[in-house]
Amino acid sequence: MESCEKHPHELGVALCARCGGSWCAHCLVQVRGPRKAPYCIECAMFVGGVRSSATRPALSRRQMKARVKEVAAIAAAAAVDLPEEAEEADRLELPAPEPVAEAPLTDPQPEAFVERRRQPVPESDWTTPWWEEHQPTLAD
């Protein structure tokens, strides 16, 4: 598939149902649900009635069908070229990844912390600020 009309660095994932442009996932809107063809943002705003005119012209059904066939042919040609690249990667004989040594299992929390969490929280009468009730200790 071609690159996105708005983001040339992104690969297009689908064609707009109205203008036939190739768009990335960020630029497409599912106006009629997930089973129908998506629209680009500009065409979705026109179809939804937010804008009175569209900046991109609509394609006829015949033009849209030809556009879909054209993109399918490009994708098929790219899929045929893919096995050659895979064979080339095999010829490079990349080294096998080294096994990673497993880290020993340790308790993530020390025992003193776990015991402190199990103690009930003293209730406060809310007459004095919390920092006056809290007495600093060496553990804090």
Side-chain angles (χ1 to χ4, degrees):
M1 175 123 341
E2 302 165 350
S3 63
C4 176
E5 302 277 336
K6 187 175 182 181
H7 307 108
H9 58 280
E10 296 272 341
L11 191 63
V13 294
L15 300 177
C16 175
R18 184 177 172 279
C19 68
S22 178
W23 299 93
C24 66
H26 300 290
C27 296
L28 291 174
V29 179
Q30 296 286 345
V31 176
R32 297 182 181 163
R35 293 187 179 194
K36 299 289 183 176
Y39 287 94
C40 64
I41 295 172
E42 294 175 17
C43 292
M45 293 178 78
F46 174 72
V47 170
V50 176
R51 293 206 176 150
S52 59
S53 64
T55 56
R56 299 178 59 86
L59 296 180
S60 67
R61 286 188 182 190
R62 180 176 288 166
Q63 290 172 329
M64 183 60 94
K65 199 172 188 179
R67 177 88 170 109
V68 168
K69 282 185 179 181
E70 175 189 342
V71 170
I74 292 170
V80 170
D81 293 340
L82 201 60
E84 294 173 5
E85 293 173 4
E87 290 174 7
E88 185 177 325
D90 290 339
R91 281 183 270 158
L92 292 176
E93 297 179 12
L94 299 175
E98 296 179 16
V100 178
E102 293 184 16
L105 297 176
T106 59
D107 189 15
Q109 298 176 344
E111 289 292 325
F113 180 73
V114 174
E115 289 299 320
R116 204 160 106 194
R117 284 185 56 194
R118 291 184 188 152
Q119 295 174 355
V121 178
E123 292 192 25
S124 175
D125 58 356
W126 297 97
T127 56
T128 57
W130 64 270
W131 58 84
E132 290 181 6
E133 293 176 355
H134 180 72
Q135 296 299 320
T137 60
L138 293 176
D140 289 342

